[in-house]
Each structure stands twice: as C-alpha cells, then as structure tokens.
Amino acid sequence: MNSLRLAHRSCSFLLYRSFPCWNNVQSASVNTCMYEIPPDFSDVEYPEKNKLPIMPKVPLNTSNRKPQPFPKRAIDMRGPELIHNRLIHKQFGVMALTGGELLFGHFEVIRNVINRKMDPKTMFAIWRVDPPWKPISRKSQGKRMGGGKSPIHHYSTPVKAGRIIFEMGGKTEFRLVKRLLVEVVSKLPFQAALVSQDILEKEMEYKKQRESRNINPFNFEYMIKNNMAGSDKWVSRYDRHWYGKFQ
C-alpha cells in the first residue's frame, strides 16, 4: 500500500515538472469564481447639473433697504438637525458631527475638490446647505469699543450636528468616492464624517438595539429629571432638552 502511494506521488511530481503551466491554470480557474457581481445602477437618478455650483458670497437683496446687522444667535448651531439629516439620493455624502459655520471660502474649497477630481460622466454632486445668509458683524482694526452695532463684515451659513453638507452619487461605488470625501472632511471647520446609506441605516439600527437592551435606569436623563446630586443647580439649560448629547 505504501509503495502505491509513493508511486502516485512520484507520478504527480513528474507531471507537475513536465507541465509547469498546469498550476497557473488551476489557480486562474479558482480566481475566476471569486469575482463579485457588479452593482445595479438602474435606479440612479441624475440631477440637472452634475457639478457643484458656485455659492453667492453675499445674499441677494430684493429690496432697496440696507442689510441690517444680525444678533449672534448661537442657537442656530446648537442641537441636532431634525430635517436635513437623511440622504435624498441614498448614496454618499458628508455629515456634520458638531455645530459650526460655513463661510464662502469653505464652499469654494469643497467645490474645487469635488468638481476637479470627480468624473462628471458617471458621478454627480449636490449641495444640501443654504448659501451664506447670516450676517456677521466685526469692528475695524484699531477702533475703540462702543458706538453701537458694528457693520456687516461677511456672511455665513450656520450648521447643526447631523446636517448633510453635500451629497455625491451616480454610477460609482463607495471605494471610489471615499478619497474625495476624506479630503473634504479634513478641510471643514468642524467635525464631520463621510456617510453612506448603509452606514446611516446601521447606525439607526444600533441605536435602537442599544436603547432596547439597556437595563440600567440610571442614565443622564434619569439623573436630571430626578434632581440627583443636585443637578438642578449646575446642569445647563440645553442639557434639559438634549440630556448631554449636544451642546
């Protein structure tokens, strides 16, 4: 029996040495079976313009009145975004993780990065935020304090946490768009993250499972509602609404 096994091994070794391409044929046949099926882009809808348009630096004044200064209103950047927090085209985008402001220069940086490096034949990008509309006042250099409200220096767009800044889509995959989104995220003035429809759905499912499986009643919300540790004296008024999730 052992002699037959040795003979079989010697014959296989001789065949391998005489036909060196046999191993390559076997490996090629195995690799062809591991190719993935390409995704279906039949339901992709393209907008009228594939590229990001230029945002106006100053809002259009339809009346003859002079633009009036605006209060700071930090509440415009506080809390979560409740409306524009989902992807319209259900593909890819950039979402703000904290509140902040977008200036005209930030819009131009995003537009230049996306429009120059994406393929307009297969991709598209759309804005999900308004153009700069909030006037920001600033005194000139060397001027003394007082004298009333300062004149308007520039305009900005306040953004809340969870707001979608812009979307990308088309006949493309996430691995091809990722490098563009990462470059844009690194240049924003606040914390942001690149998201896709799958990422948002998994995040929502994870939050629901976490709330349903939590058996510990002593969380931050329970502590504030029951005035534990004298929380009414030191807790912020914003924590009474969002319970420490947003500032």
Side-chain angles (χ1 to χ4, degrees):
M1 191 69 181
N2 294 331
S3 60
L4 292 175
R5 290 180 180 176
L6 291 173
H8 178 71
R9 291 180 180 177
S10 61
C11 291
S12 60
F13 178 75
L14 291 174
L15 287 173
Y16 177 77
R17 292 294 300 274
S18 58
F19 299 99
C21 61
W22 176 252
N23 190 21
N24 297 333
V25 173
Q26 285 185 338
S27 62
S29 62
V30 172
N31 292 333
T32 53
C33 299
M34 297 178 65
Y35 287 131
E36 297 181 358
I37 299 175
D40 184 18
F41 299 112
S42 59
D43 57 342
V44 175
E45 296 181 0
Y46 283 83
E48 295 181 358
K49 296 182 179 180
N50 295 354
K51 294 186 176 182
L52 294 174
I54 300 176
M55 287 291 195
K57 190 174 184 178
V58 179
L60 180 63
N61 188 11
T62 56
S63 63
N64 295 327
R65 294 181 58 186
K66 183 180 178 181
Q68 298 297 322
F70 204 77
K72 289 186 177 181
R73 281 185 57 87
I75 192 64
D76 294 335
M77 297 174 285
R78 292 183 182 272
E81 177 64 39
L82 303 177
I83 300 175
H84 303 283
N85 54 5
R86 295 289 178 268
L87 297 172
I88 296 176
H89 294 274
K90 300 185 181 301
Q91 287 192 286
F92 323 109
V94 171
M95 183 176 67
L97 299 180
T98 58
E101 288 183 333
L102 287 174
L103 306 181
F104 175 74
H106 300 134
F107 284 105
E108 285 296 297
V109 168
I110 297 172
R111 187 182 65 86
N112 291 331
V113 171
I114 298 300
N115 291 351
R116 290 176 182 177
K117 297 186 179 182
M118 80 171 187
D119 186 6
K121 296 181 180 178
T122 58
M123 302 179 187
F124 66 87
I126 59 171
W127 291 113
R128 290 294 305 277
V129 290
D130 300 325
W133 60 269
K134 185 177 180 180
I136 306 297
S137 301
R138 183 179 298 176
K139 290 184 179 295
S140 58
Q141 188 175 5
K143 190 174 182 180
R144 293 184 178 182
M145 297 181 63
K149 186 71 173 178
S150 305
I152 297 174
H153 183 266
H154 62 275
Y155 292 84
S156 68
T157 300
V159 174
K160 293 185 177 182
R163 179 68 183 261
I164 302 296
I165 307 300
F166 69 95
E167 287 190 39
M168 286 192 68
K171 297 180 180 179
T172 182
E173 300 179 18
F174 185 69
R175 59 183 179 84
L176 301 176
V177 184
K178 183 178 179 180
R179 61 182 183 86
L180 298 179
L181 301 182
V182 169
E183 185 176 355
V184 171
V185 166
S186 64
K187 296 182 179 181
L188 290 177
F190 45 78
Q191 295 182 10
L194 50 98
V195 295
S196 64
Q197 185 65 21
D198 296 336
I199 294 175
L200 294 178
E201 291 177 355
K202 290 179 181 178
E203 184 180 359
M204 291 179 61
E205 185 178 358
Y206 172 73
K207 288 182 179 180
K208 291 180 180 179
Q209 291 180 359
R210 186 179 180 182
E211 293 178 358
S212 61
R213 295 177 181 178
N214 185 21
I215 60 176
N216 183 15
F218 297 100
N219 52 14
F220 196 68
E221 180 178 357
Y222 182 87
M223 184 185 69
I224 292 177
K225 289 182 177 180
N226 293 275
N227 192 20
M228 297 180 65
S231 59
D232 288 343
K233 298 180 180 180
W234 52 266
V235 76
S236 172
R237 60 176 178 175
Y238 302 108
D239 292 333
R240 302 181 189 276
H241 295 282
W242 303 310
Y243 303 108
K245 297 180 180 178
F246 304 95
Q247 297 295 329

